Amino acid sequence: MAANRIKIAQDKAELVKSLLASKETPGLFQTYVEVMIFAAALGVKYKKSVPLRDTTKRDPSPIPQENFASLGYDKIIKLLGIVETNDIQILASREDEYEDKRTQIFEEYANGGLEILQNQLRGVVDYEIQFLLILRKAVDYQENNIEEEFDLSRFLK
């Protein structure tokens, strides 16, 4: 079952690795899981979902979904699935087709977010300052594009 792992697009692999803290570099994130969650949130924020083409096999290798669950982030993947499909059935965790769909939705938003980051960080030496600017821009975007309040009743039909 391929859905057990979250895949990373080959053309974003270097970016994902560069965002991770290591002994040699002070990256912005401690785990690949955190990188992907942030990227997916950015993709959702800007409504940018990009299908994956070629994916990495190693370095970074696809991330087991248990890693997301152990940090409590599996709920984000499920919530994104519900919001995207408007179908509560997508939570059926034992059904491969639903797990595959949830995974695909998450991967595509993460890929979209990584594409945004790739464009924003191109040529940047100090990612920290640029990340602060990206976050500030997201807040400004939110304040200028306030939509209707989130209404849970649409899921109760």
Side-chain angles (χ1 to χ4, degrees):
M1 176 167 57
N4 287 349
R5 297 179 175 271
I6 300 294
K7 296 176 289 307
I8 299 168
Q10 185 68 49
D11 64 333
K12 313 292 187 322
E14 288 305 315
L15 171 64
V16 170
K17 288 190 293 188
S18 73
L19 295 172
L20 196 66
S22 69
K23 291 177 185 163
E24 301 84 39
T25 61
L28 298 169
F29 299 97
Q30 298 300 311
T31 66
Y32 287 130
V33 170
E34 292 170 346
V35 173
M36 296 303 284
I37 290 292
F38 182 84
L42 197 61
V44 169
K45 175 79 175 162
Y46 292 105
K47 297 174 176 54
K48 186 167 184 81
S49 174
V50 177
L52 277 76
R53 290 182 185 80
D54 296 329
T55 60
T56 60
K57 303 291 184 249
R58 306 180 85 224
D59 202 26
S61 58
I63 308 163
Q65 287 203 22
E66 297 84 46
N67 295 10
F68 288 82
S70 70
L71 296 169
Y73 293 130
D74 57 323
K75 295 167 189 69
I76 292 173
I77 296 171
K78 291 175 181 176
L79 181 61
L80 185 53
I82 292 172
V83 170
E84 188 70 14
T85 64
N86 284 325
D87 182 5
I88 195 93
Q89 288 298 316
I90 198 150
L91 293 180
S93 60
R94 303 263 186 257
E95 302 276 339
D96 287 352
E97 72 176 276
Y98 293 125
E99 187 173 350
D100 290 347
K101 185 64 178 168
R102 285 192 312 264
T103 299
Q104 179 187 358
I105 291 167
F106 178 80
E107 287 171 341
E108 289 179 358
Y109 273 109
N111 196 35
L114 288 170
E115 194 169 284
I116 291 168
L117 286 175
Q118 204 168 43
N119 291 331
Q120 295 286 321
L121 297 175
R122 186 168 286 129
V124 173
V125 176
D126 186 350
Y127 282 4
E128 277 188 48
I129 293 170
Q130 190 65 27
F131 252 76
L132 291 173
L133 293 171
I134 291 168
L135 292 172
R136 181 70 234 166
K137 183 178 174 185
V139 168
D140 290 344
Y141 179 86
Q142 177 73 28
E143 290 171 356
N144 294 328
N145 293 304
I146 295 176
E147 295 181 16
E148 64 186 75
E149 286 188 38
F150 184 73
D151 183 11
L152 282 175
S153 66
R154 69 181 186 181
F155 297 111
L156 301 174
K157 296 176 185 171

